[in-house]
Protein backbone atom coordinates (compact mmCIF):
# COMPACT_ATOMS: atom_id res chain seq x y z
CA UNK A 1 0.00 0.00 0.00
CA UNK A 2 1.23 3.49 -0.80
CA UNK A 3 1.98 5.90 2.04
CA UNK A 4 0.82 9.52 2.10
CA UNK A 5 3.99 10.93 0.57
CA UNK A 6 3.78 8.44 -2.30
CA UNK A 7 0.12 9.30 -2.83
CA UNK A 8 1.08 12.97 -2.80
CA UNK A 9 3.60 12.28 -5.55
CA UNK A 10 1.04 10.34 -7.60
CA UNK A 11 -1.51 13.15 -7.41
CA UNK A 12 1.11 15.75 -8.36
CA UNK A 13 2.16 13.69 -11.39
CA UNK A 14 -1.46 13.25 -12.45
CA UNK A 15 -1.88 16.99 -12.08
CA UNK A 16 1.11 17.61 -14.35
CA UNK A 17 -0.24 15.17 -16.93
CA UNK A 18 -3.78 16.58 -16.79
CA UNK A 19 -3.67 20.14 -15.42
CA UNK A 20 -7.11 20.92 -16.82
CA UNK A 21 -8.91 17.85 -15.49
CA UNK A 22 -12.58 18.68 -15.02
CA UNK A 23 -16.10 17.30 -15.28
CA UNK A 24 -16.66 16.52 -18.96
CA UNK A 25 -20.44 16.25 -18.73
CA UNK A 26 -21.91 19.32 -20.40
CA UNK A 27 -24.44 21.23 -18.31
CA UNK A 28 -25.47 24.77 -17.50
CA UNK A 29 -26.98 24.33 -14.01
CA UNK A 30 -27.20 21.81 -11.13
CA UNK A 31 -30.45 20.35 -12.45
CA UNK A 32 -28.91 19.51 -15.82
CA UNK A 33 -25.83 18.12 -14.10
CA UNK A 34 -27.78 15.72 -11.88
CA UNK A 35 -29.66 14.48 -14.96
CA UNK A 36 -26.41 14.04 -16.91
CA UNK A 37 -24.61 12.20 -14.12
CA UNK A 38 -27.59 9.91 -13.58
CA UNK A 39 -27.59 9.12 -17.31
CA UNK A 40 -23.84 8.40 -17.27
CA UNK A 41 -24.12 5.22 -15.18
CA UNK A 42 -22.53 2.39 -17.21
CA UNK A 43 -22.19 4.81 -20.12
CA UNK A 44 -19.50 7.14 -21.48
CA UNK A 45 -19.60 10.88 -20.91
CA UNK A 46 -19.19 11.40 -24.66
CA UNK A 47 -22.41 9.51 -25.42
CA UNK A 48 -24.27 11.30 -22.64
CA UNK A 49 -23.16 14.65 -24.05
CA UNK A 50 -24.48 13.71 -27.49
CA UNK A 51 -27.85 12.83 -25.99
CA UNK A 52 -28.14 15.79 -23.62
CA UNK A 53 -27.29 18.27 -26.37
CA UNK A 54 -30.83 17.73 -27.65
CA UNK A 55 -32.39 16.66 -24.35
CA UNK A 56 -31.53 19.92 -22.58
CA UNK A 57 -32.95 21.94 -25.45
CA UNK A 58 -36.27 20.14 -25.17
CA UNK A 59 -36.51 19.91 -21.36
CA UNK A 60 -35.62 22.93 -19.22
CA UNK A 61 -37.47 22.31 -15.95
CA UNK A 62 -38.73 19.40 -13.85
CA UNK A 63 -42.22 20.16 -15.17
CA UNK A 64 -41.01 19.69 -18.74
CA UNK A 65 -39.90 16.11 -18.04
CA UNK A 66 -43.30 15.36 -16.50
CA UNK A 67 -45.27 16.92 -19.34
CA UNK A 68 -44.52 14.07 -21.76
CA UNK A 69 -45.43 10.35 -21.64
CA UNK A 70 -42.73 8.09 -20.22
CA UNK A 71 -42.40 6.46 -23.66
CA UNK A 72 -41.46 9.78 -25.23
CA UNK A 73 -38.72 10.42 -22.68
CA UNK A 74 -37.47 6.85 -23.17
CA UNK A 75 -37.23 7.50 -26.89
CA UNK A 76 -35.28 10.70 -26.28
CA UNK A 77 -32.56 8.79 -24.38
CA UNK A 78 -32.87 5.45 -26.16
CA UNK A 79 -29.20 5.31 -27.24
CA UNK A 80 -28.11 5.27 -23.58
CA UNK A 81 -27.83 2.00 -21.70
CA UNK A 82 -30.61 1.19 -19.22
CA UNK A 83 -32.67 3.97 -20.80
CA UNK A 84 -36.03 2.65 -19.62
CA UNK A 85 -35.04 2.60 -15.97
CA UNK A 86 -33.25 5.93 -16.27
CA UNK A 87 -36.26 7.60 -17.90
CA UNK A 88 -38.51 6.31 -15.12
CA UNK A 89 -36.10 7.61 -12.46
CA UNK A 90 -35.80 11.01 -14.13
CA UNK A 91 -39.56 11.51 -14.00
CA UNK A 92 -39.72 10.31 -10.39
CA UNK A 93 -36.83 12.62 -9.53
CA UNK A 94 -38.56 15.59 -11.15
CA UNK A 95 -41.77 14.87 -9.26
CA UNK A 96 -39.82 14.77 -5.99
CA UNK A 97 -37.96 18.00 -6.79
CA UNK A 98 -41.29 19.73 -7.34
CA UNK A 99 -43.07 18.24 -4.34
CA UNK A 100 -40.30 18.33 -1.75
CA UNK A 101 -37.46 20.62 -2.83
CA UNK A 102 -39.15 23.65 -4.40
CA UNK A 103 -37.83 22.63 -7.83
CA UNK A 104 -34.21 23.04 -6.69
CA UNK A 105 -31.55 20.33 -6.51
CA UNK A 106 -30.65 20.02 -2.80
CA UNK A 107 -27.11 21.07 -1.91
CA UNK A 108 -26.80 18.49 0.85
CA UNK A 109 -25.38 15.16 -0.36
CA UNK A 110 -27.51 13.03 1.91
CA UNK A 111 -30.64 14.85 0.80
CA UNK A 112 -29.61 14.45 -2.83
CA UNK A 113 -29.26 10.69 -2.49
CA UNK A 114 -32.97 10.54 -1.62
CA UNK A 115 -33.72 11.43 -5.24
CA UNK A 116 -34.60 8.43 -7.45
CA UNK A 117 -31.65 7.33 -9.56
CA UNK A 118 -29.15 9.35 -7.52
CA UNK A 119 -26.59 7.26 -5.68
CA UNK A 120 -23.62 8.36 -3.62
CA UNK A 121 -21.34 8.73 -6.66
CA UNK A 122 -23.81 10.94 -8.50
CA UNK A 123 -24.40 13.06 -5.41
CA UNK A 124 -20.65 13.48 -4.84
CA UNK A 125 -20.15 14.68 -8.41
CA UNK A 126 -23.02 17.18 -8.20
CA UNK A 127 -22.14 18.68 -4.81
CA UNK A 128 -18.51 18.98 -5.90
CA UNK A 129 -18.99 20.39 -9.41
CA UNK A 130 -22.20 22.37 -8.98
CA UNK A 131 -21.84 23.58 -5.41
CA UNK A 132 -18.10 23.53 -4.70
CA UNK A 133 -18.38 21.11 -1.79
CA UNK A 134 -15.25 18.93 -1.30
CA UNK A 135 -16.08 15.38 -2.38
CA UNK A 136 -14.53 12.32 -4.00
CA UNK A 137 -16.79 10.47 -6.39
CA UNK A 138 -15.55 6.91 -6.88
CA UNK A 139 -16.45 5.92 -10.41
CA UNK A 140 -14.92 3.04 -12.36
CA UNK A 141 -11.77 5.06 -13.17
CA UNK A 142 -11.11 6.25 -9.61
CA UNK A 143 -11.67 2.74 -8.25
CA UNK A 144 -9.34 1.20 -10.85
CA UNK A 145 -6.54 3.72 -10.28
CA UNK A 146 -6.80 3.44 -6.49
CA UNK A 147 -6.49 -0.33 -6.60
CA UNK A 148 -3.84 -0.58 -9.31
CA UNK A 149 -1.55 1.89 -7.58
CA UNK A 150 -2.12 0.36 -4.16
CA UNK A 151 -3.81 3.36 -2.57
CA UNK A 152 -6.62 1.02 -1.56
CA UNK A 153 -6.92 -2.76 -1.36
CA UNK A 154 -8.14 -4.94 -4.22
CA UNK A 155 -11.00 -6.23 -2.09
CA UNK A 156 -12.23 -2.78 -1.00
CA UNK A 157 -15.79 -1.85 -1.90
CA UNK A 158 -16.53 1.46 -3.63
CA UNK A 159 -17.49 2.98 -0.28
CA UNK A 160 -14.28 1.71 1.30
CA UNK A 161 -12.21 3.18 -1.54
CA UNK A 162 -13.91 6.54 -0.97
CA UNK A 163 -13.19 6.36 2.77
CA UNK A 164 -9.52 5.55 2.15
CA UNK A 165 -9.11 8.38 -0.34
CA UNK A 166 -10.77 10.89 1.99
CA UNK A 167 -8.42 9.82 4.78
CA UNK A 168 -5.25 10.02 2.68
CA UNK A 169 -5.94 13.13 0.60
CA UNK A 170 -6.30 16.64 2.11
CA UNK A 171 -9.97 17.67 2.12
CA UNK A 172 -9.33 20.83 0.14
CA UNK A 173 -7.96 18.67 -2.68
CA UNK A 174 -10.70 16.05 -2.81
CA UNK A 175 -12.49 17.48 -5.84
CA UNK A 176 -9.31 18.21 -7.81
CA UNK A 177 -7.89 14.76 -6.99
CA UNK A 178 -11.12 13.13 -8.10
CA UNK A 179 -10.93 14.79 -11.54
CA UNK A 180 -7.21 14.05 -11.92
CA UNK A 181 -7.77 10.38 -11.20
CA UNK A 182 -10.66 10.21 -13.65
CA UNK A 183 -8.58 11.74 -16.45
CA UNK A 184 -5.62 9.52 -15.57
CA UNK A 185 -7.85 6.45 -15.77
CA UNK A 186 -9.77 7.58 -18.83
CA UNK A 187 -6.83 8.66 -20.97
CA UNK A 188 -3.70 6.96 -19.58
CA UNK A 189 -4.26 4.03 -17.21
CA UNK A 190 -7.11 2.57 -19.24
CA UNK A 191 -8.97 -0.56 -18.25
CA UNK A 192 -7.87 -2.71 -21.20
CA UNK A 193 -4.64 -1.09 -22.40
CA UNK A 194 -2.88 0.90 -19.68
CA UNK A 195 0.19 2.77 -20.89
CA UNK A 196 2.55 1.09 -18.42
CA UNK A 197 5.73 1.31 -20.55
CA UNK A 198 5.61 5.13 -20.58
CA UNK A 199 3.89 5.70 -17.25
CA UNK A 200 5.72 8.10 -14.89
CA UNK A 201 4.21 6.21 -11.94
CA UNK A 202 5.47 2.77 -12.98
CA UNK A 203 8.04 2.59 -10.17
CA UNK A 204 5.26 2.95 -7.59
CA UNK A 205 2.59 0.90 -9.33
CA UNK A 206 2.20 -2.71 -8.21
CA UNK A 207 -0.12 -3.53 -11.10
CA UNK A 208 2.14 -1.86 -13.67
CA UNK A 209 5.19 -3.76 -12.46
CA UNK A 210 3.27 -7.01 -12.64
CA UNK A 211 2.11 -6.28 -16.18
CA UNK A 212 5.58 -5.28 -17.36
CA UNK A 213 7.14 -8.37 -15.79
CA UNK A 214 4.58 -10.56 -17.49
CA UNK A 215 5.36 -8.87 -20.80
CA UNK A 216 9.08 -9.47 -20.21
CA UNK A 217 9.90 -5.78 -20.03
CA UNK A 218 11.26 -5.83 -16.49
Amino acid sequence: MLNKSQIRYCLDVMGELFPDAHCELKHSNPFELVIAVALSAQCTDALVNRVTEHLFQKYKTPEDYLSVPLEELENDIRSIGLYRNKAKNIQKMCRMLIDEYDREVPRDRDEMTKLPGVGRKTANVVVSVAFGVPAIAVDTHVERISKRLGISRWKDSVTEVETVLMAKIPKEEWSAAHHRMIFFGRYHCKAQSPQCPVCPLLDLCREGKKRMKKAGSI
Side-chain angles (χ1 to χ4, degrees):
M1 301 285 286
L2 298 187
N3 58 40
K4 283 192 175 182
S5 64
Q6 291 172 321
I7 294 171
R8 169 81 272 154
Y9 176 75
C10 289
L11 293 176
D12 288 343
V13 169
M14 291 179 202
E16 291 171 3
L17 288 173
F18 303 104
D20 300 318
H22 62 281
C23 176
E24 293 190 297
L25 289 169
K26 295 178 181 178
H27 63 283
S28 59
N29 55 58
F31 177 56
E32 289 186 351
L33 180 59
V34 76
I35 296 285
V37 181
L39 288 174
S40 72
Q42 299 183 38
C43 180
T44 66
D45 286 2
L47 176 55
V48 172
N49 286 336
R50 288 199 294 273
V51 170
T52 56
E53 181 179 359
H54 303 290
L55 194 73
F56 292 161
Q57 290 177 6
K58 180 175 180 179
Y59 304 100
K60 303 291 187 182
T61 66
E63 287 87 350
D64 291 340
Y65 285 96
L66 293 171
S67 69
V68 300
L70 177 61
E71 293 74 18
E72 183 174 340
L73 180 55
E74 287 177 351
N75 192 57
D76 289 332
I77 63 172
R78 185 174 293 273
S79 59
I80 286 180
L82 307 174
Y83 71 91
R84 286 193 178 90
N85 192 50
K86 290 177 181 179
K88 189 183 302 181
N89 280 333
I90 286 174
Q91 288 196 333
K92 288 181 179 178
M93 177 200 306
C94 289
R95 172 51 60 196
M96 194 168 178
L97 287 174
I98 292 170
D99 292 344
E100 300 184 31
Y101 295 102
D102 197 26
R103 297 169 174 78
E104 297 289 335
V105 175
R107 291 172 174 262
D108 181 79
R109 182 181 61 190
D110 292 335
E111 283 296 314
M112 201 182 301
T113 57
K114 295 178 182 178
L115 298 173
V118 177
R120 188 175 179 87
K121 186 207 80 171
T122 296
N124 276 333
V125 171
V126 177
V127 298
S128 171
V129 175
F131 302 127
V133 177
I136 296 178
V138 181
D139 69 352
T140 181
H141 301 296
V142 174
E143 181 179 11
R144 182 172 68 253
I145 298 307
S146 298
K147 292 182 176 181
R148 280 182 174 174
L149 282 172
I151 298 174
S152 62
R153 300 171 299 176
W154 288 114
K155 64 179 182 178
D156 283 350
S157 66
V158 170
T159 303
E160 288 171 332
V161 171
E162 181 186 340
T163 300
V164 167
L165 292 174
M166 288 192 299
K168 295 185 177 181
I169 298 172
K171 186 173 183 177
E172 64 272 16
E173 294 185 44
W174 285 355
S175 297
H178 152 246
H179 289 304
R180 291 177 187 177
M181 293 179 76
I182 287 177
F183 268 55
F184 188 72
R186 183 175 289 161
Y187 301 112
H188 182 82
C189 190
K190 302 176 184 179
Q192 299 302 323
S193 54
Q195 300 178 38
C196 300
V198 296
C199 184
L201 298 181
L202 179 60
D203 286 346
L204 289 177
C205 182
R206 60 182 182 183
E207 173 71 10
K209 290 177 181 176
K210 186 188 303 180
R211 285 173 177 267
M212 294 296 287
K213 186 175 183 179
K214 188 175 181 180
S217 301
I218 293 181

